[in-house]
Amino acid sequence: MAAEGGGKETNEIKTQFTTREGVYKLLTHSEYSRPNRVPFNSQGSNPVKVSFVNVNDQSGNGDRICFNVGRELYFYIYKGVRKAADLSKPIDKRIYKGTQPTCHDFNPLTATADSVSLLVGFSAGQVQLIDPIKKETSKLFNEERLIDKSRVTCVRWVPGSESLFLVAHSSGSMYLYNVENTCGTTPPNYQLLKQGDNYAVHTCKSKSARNPLLRWTVGEGALNEFAFSPDGKFLACASQDGFLRVFGFDAAELHGTMKSYFGGLLCVCWSPDGQYIVAGGEDDLVTVWSFSDCRVIARGHGHKSWVSVVAFDHCTTSVEDSDLPAEFSGSDEEYHEQTNFGAGRERANSAQSRLSKRNSTDGRPVSVTYRFGSVGQDTQMCLWDLTEDILFPHLPLSRTRTHTNVMGATSSPAAGTVTAAATTTTNTSGTNGSNTGSTGNNSGNPTTNSLPATLPRSNSLPHSNPPGGSTPNSHPTTTTTTTTTTTSATTKGSSIIDSTFIATGVSKFATLSLHDSRKDRHEKDHKRNHSMGHINSKSSDKLNQLSSSRTAKADAAKTLGTTLCPRMEEVPLLEPLVCKKIAHERLTVLIFLEDCLVTACQEGFVCTWARPGKVGLLSSQNHTANSPSGTVV
């Protein structure tokens, strides 16, 4: 089930791949790019990024896509697996002079068929708020570059807020803005509000309300990406100094840290239930970190160069009930409502609370399998399964499983609630909100651990296995009835946002949309000598040459072998479920949607991969001329 075709076929561009759910197929007619479809000369340009929003259009074509290529920014109706892309009719197209767009983010709360709020960060440090439907540019922030002159690496709306947004720069600083405030004509004066281990938060001293409201300085070197937890209460930051730092956002208190095995961290994402964080970077690894335990629980090695993007697949992440077949302590109606954009938040919470209550009192464990993906500068996409034997390696064997019940992870609430152990499931549909066909291929044979050979329980390679011991496909499944509860840093101190009179909407429950899983990240030049086989202590980012290499080496020596950075043999090593070369240029985007997954490469091609069973939704449009792009063979 790992990569199909090896040896001489490894350089071939793949147009489909197979997992236990079925076959994922590239839809060449659903490819988005510049209208001329000419590969973009990406030398020296910023990474191609993609943002999605749903405007709840009555016609059923509610998805909108935004992507940047070089100096250009495009805004289209996204037809996905339904219809072929019409590149001749962008809703909006912008070409910038003197600066390039580097990242962008839609506000899902304010999006309508007539108006959307799109933030765009630029290489010179400015942030623009535009409405590509109304063709209006409403505001430009940091216009005179008095706040920060360095490149914008990540921009996000604060979950639950219509006016607050957070901007990270390659200087290592983050700034909290309010769209209603101006930026002033003089450089801001700051006053220290909070200080901790290698981070500080300042408030802006001003007689009248002005931006930025807050300035965060985090670590050393660039802050490459940040991500809000699903409930919006915590903030995970991936920095060039190699540290993952997780903060309670309101109180600005450090919850936990993790250090990369080598080099900087470039990308970060949260599991749909907020229990786990995955980070990737210049060590070519994906690292799984437990939010509740504040420790590394696994690493994944499949990439041959830097990891650009990590993202959880909320549709294939699945729930399995080992004792009660075809029941999830909630109805199909509840599940369908939860797949809407935040429509079933209260009901999702109640369903999960009942699930966790039954898990702790009735002794009928419910298990979750986490699916996440990664793409890298090696032009490869990897899919990973985080299974129960990795999350809970020392627990007793479970009773016989005779049925698998699969639910999308959109029904899981955010951080702060409990989650049960995890295990792989059989034949998950993982496509849309429907439960139809999601419990197929289940054996009724009561023989313990009787699974087909093609459905491995785990793709992990724990180093603790004795020679001649169990193979990766024969790890027994384990379960636990112990629930894990996350702690909220907001209880440790008063909210710093309250202290600056801007608390409105910040602590609201985040809108858990299909598009919250995608992450914008800062790409580096493609240097294969940074792979694990040729470890080099130099970074290609000039901004980070300011930090002393001696200090970096000393810090690395101090952290290796500790809980911050366990040695390779101290934690399980995952192998990818799928590892495919899917582009000619380095990959910069991976987004999981309901019917498909979306990737993009630095040549400027945004590709749609239909989930199993969804390829038939695309109307037969074989007359679309021109060869697709040259990106796929």
Side-chain angles (χ1 to χ4, degrees):
M1 196 181 338
E4 297 171 349
K8 61 183 180 181
E9 299 180 8
T10 52
N11 289 326
E12 180 186 344
I13 304 296
K14 302 296 182 184
T15 57
Q16 67 179 44
F17 57 88
T18 304
T19 67
R20 65 171 182 273
E21 307 95 65
V23 180
Y24 290 74
K25 294 184 179 180
L26 177 67
L27 303 179
T28 54
H29 301 310
S30 294
E31 183 181 78
Y32 288 78
S33 66
R34 298 188 299 170
N36 59 12
R37 292 185 181 270
V38 174
F40 175 68
N41 181 6
S42 60
Q43 199 66 30
S45 67
N46 288 286
V48 173
K49 299 289 182 67
V50 174
S51 297
F52 284 99
V53 70
N54 189 288
V55 299
N56 298 316
D57 190 357
Q58 298 298 324
S59 66
N61 288 329
D63 289 328
R64 303 290 181 266
I65 184 174
C66 171
F67 58 92
N68 60 289
V69 182
R71 297 184 298 116
E72 302 166 11
L73 188 74
Y74 292 93
F75 182 70
Y76 281 96
I77 293 177
Y78 180 71
K79 299 177 182 178
V81 300
R82 296 184 304 275
K83 291 184 180 179
D86 184 359
L87 300 184
S88 64
K89 298 177 181 178
I91 298 176
D92 195 16
K93 172 187 174 182
R94 296 172 186 240
I95 302 178
Y96 296 93
K97 296 180 179 178
T99 186
Q100 293 185 4
T102 58
C103 51
H104 30 84
D105 190 38
F106 288 105
N107 192 329
L109 295 182
T110 60
T112 66
D114 302 319
S115 174
V116 293
S117 298
L118 177 66
L119 290 170
V120 184
F122 290 91
S123 56
Q126 303 94 334
V127 178
Q128 191 179 34
L129 174 64
I130 62 177
D131 188 332
I133 295 180
K134 291 183 176 179
K135 309 286 197 302
E136 293 177 356
T137 299
S138 48
K139 283 193 175 180
L140 186 61
F141 302 92
N142 193 29
E143 181 176 7
E144 304 298 327
R145 304 173 69 210
L146 298 173
I147 296 172
D148 200 306
K149 292 182 170 59
S150 65
R151 182 186 66 255
V152 176
T153 56
C154 187
V155 60
R156 294 271 194 279
W157 291 96
V158 173
S161 174
E162 297 184 2
S163 57
L164 300 178
F165 62 93
L166 195 60
V167 181
H169 289 257
S170 59
S171 63
S173 295
M174 281 189 304
Y175 302 89
L176 183 67
Y177 288 82
N178 188 324
V179 294
E180 309 298 334
N181 296 353
T182 61
C183 289
T185 55
T186 58
N189 293 316
Y190 296 106
Q191 181 176 354
L192 182 64
L193 190 63
K194 194 142 196 172
Q195 196 165 16
D197 185 13
N198 224 353
Y199 81 96
V201 182
H202 293 78
T203 181
C204 184
K205 291 172 59 179
S206 176
K207 293 182 179 179
S208 58
R210 66 162 287 179
N211 285 317
L213 303 172
L214 295 174
R215 180 186 74 178
W216 295 59
T217 52
V218 180
E220 299 177 6
L223 203 166
N224 290 322
E225 188 178 23
F226 64 83
F228 284 100
S229 62
D231 64 355
K233 294 180 179 179
F234 293 90
L235 184 70
C237 301
S239 298
Q240 189 60 37
D241 61 7
F243 279 90
L244 166 73
R245 297 176 177 88
V246 182
F247 298 95
F249 183 58
D250 284 4
E253 291 192 349
L254 188 63
H255 171 78
T257 59
M258 181 270 286
K259 174 71 170 61
S260 69
Y261 192 73
F262 164 79
L265 287 178
L266 306 179
C267 51
V268 63
C269 68
W270 291 79
S271 64
D273 58 6
Q275 293 295 320
Y276 300 97
I277 296 173
V278 172
E282 296 174 359
D283 54 10
D284 304 353
L285 302 170
V286 292
T287 304
V288 185
W289 190 80
S290 169
F291 175 82
S292 56
D293 296 339
C294 291
R295 65 180 183 90
V296 175
I297 61 169
R299 291 189 179 103
H301 187 207
H303 288 284
K304 300 172 184 175
S305 188
W306 296 355
V307 180
S308 311
V309 190
V310 286
F312 273 87
D313 184 353
H314 52 276
C315 291
T316 308
T317 295
S318 53
V319 173
E320 177 176 346
D321 188 335
S322 63
D323 263 10
L324 296 179
E327 192 218 330
F328 179 70
S329 185
S331 65
D332 287 350
E333 290 76 12
E334 288 184 356
Y335 171 67
H336 285 302
E337 289 183 22
Q338 292 155 23
T339 59
N340 295 329
F341 297 111
R345 280 180 245 154
E346 290 183 8
R347 200 174 284 214
N349 284 333
S350 64
Q352 181 71 7
S353 64
R354 291 198 303 274
L355 183 151
S356 59
K357 181 180 178 182
R358 184 184 66 185
N359 184 47
S360 59
T361 60
D362 297 347
R364 289 190 281 267
V366 177
S367 303
V368 180
T369 299
Y370 298 89
R371 164 73 58 81
F372 65 93
S374 58
V375 295
Q377 297 195 7
D378 56 0
T379 70
Q380 292 191 135
M381 173 176 62
C382 295
L383 296 181
W384 314 80
D385 270 356
L386 189 57
T387 54
E388 184 178 68
D389 54 337
I390 297 300
L391 301 174
F392 306 95
H394 304 301
L395 295 172
L397 296 180
S398 67
R399 290 190 293 270
T400 304
R401 295 171 187 269
T402 58
H403 196 88
T404 301
N405 185 32
V406 177
M407 296 291 288
T410 41
S411 59
S412 300
T417 59
V418 293
T419 189
T423 184
T424 48
T425 61
T426 59
N427 193 22
T428 59
S429 77
T431 49
N432 54 19
S434 171
N435 283 345
T436 307
S438 64
T439 56
N441 289 358
N442 296 308
S443 170
N445 190 340
T447 306
T448 303
N449 290 331
S450 59
L451 278 178
T454 56
L455 300 177
R457 274 293 182 189
S458 168
N459 287 298
S460 61
L461 296 176
H463 287 267
S464 57
N465 279 356
S470 59
T471 64
N473 287 352
S474 63
H475 290 299
T477 306
T478 57
T479 57
T480 180
T481 56
T482 305
T483 55
T484 306
T485 310
T486 62
T487 58
S488 172
T490 53
T491 60
K492 298 179 183 176
S494 59
S495 167
I496 60 166
I497 294 185
D498 287 340
S499 66
T500 51
F501 307 104
I502 50 169
T504 308
V506 175
S507 57
K508 289 181 182 177
F509 194 94
T511 302
L512 191 54
S513 73
L514 294 177
H515 317 306
D516 285 344
S517 63
R518 61 97 181 82
K519 301 287 176 283
D520 299 329
R521 75 289 307 159
H522 165 53
E523 280 273 21
K524 306 293 183 299
D525 294 334
H526 190 165
K527 289 198 173 182
R528 292 181 181 271
N529 63 337
H530 280 260
S531 65
M532 289 188 65
H534 304 83
I535 289 183
N536 189 329
S537 62
K538 295 181 181 178
S539 168
S540 67
D541 194 345
K542 295 178 181 178
L543 287 165
N544 302 303
Q545 293 175 355
L546 299 174
S547 59
S548 167
S549 61
R550 286 185 183 177
T551 307
K553 289 179 180 178
D555 290 344
K558 290 178 183 176
T559 58
L560 185 62
T562 67
T563 53
L564 282 178
C565 180
R567 298 182 187 276
M568 291 298 289
E569 64 271 17
E570 292 175 344
V571 294
L573 187 65
L574 306 176
E575 67 173 8
L577 186 74
V578 166
C579 188
K580 299 292 183 186
K581 178 180 172 67
I582 61 170
H584 289 296
E585 270 292 335
R586 61 188 186 271
L587 293 163
T588 58
V589 171
L590 175 63
I591 301 172
F592 291 96
L593 299 179
E594 195 174 350
D595 293 327
C596 59
L597 58 92
V598 176
T599 61
C601 70
Q602 195 55 23
E603 284 185 314
F605 298 111
V606 181
C607 298
T608 298
W609 301 75
R611 291 185 185 269
K614 297 298 176 181
V615 67
L617 296 178
L618 179 62
S619 307
S620 53
Q621 309 235 354
N622 295 329
H623 59 274
T624 15
N626 309 338
S627 81
S629 68
T631 315
V632 293
V633 179

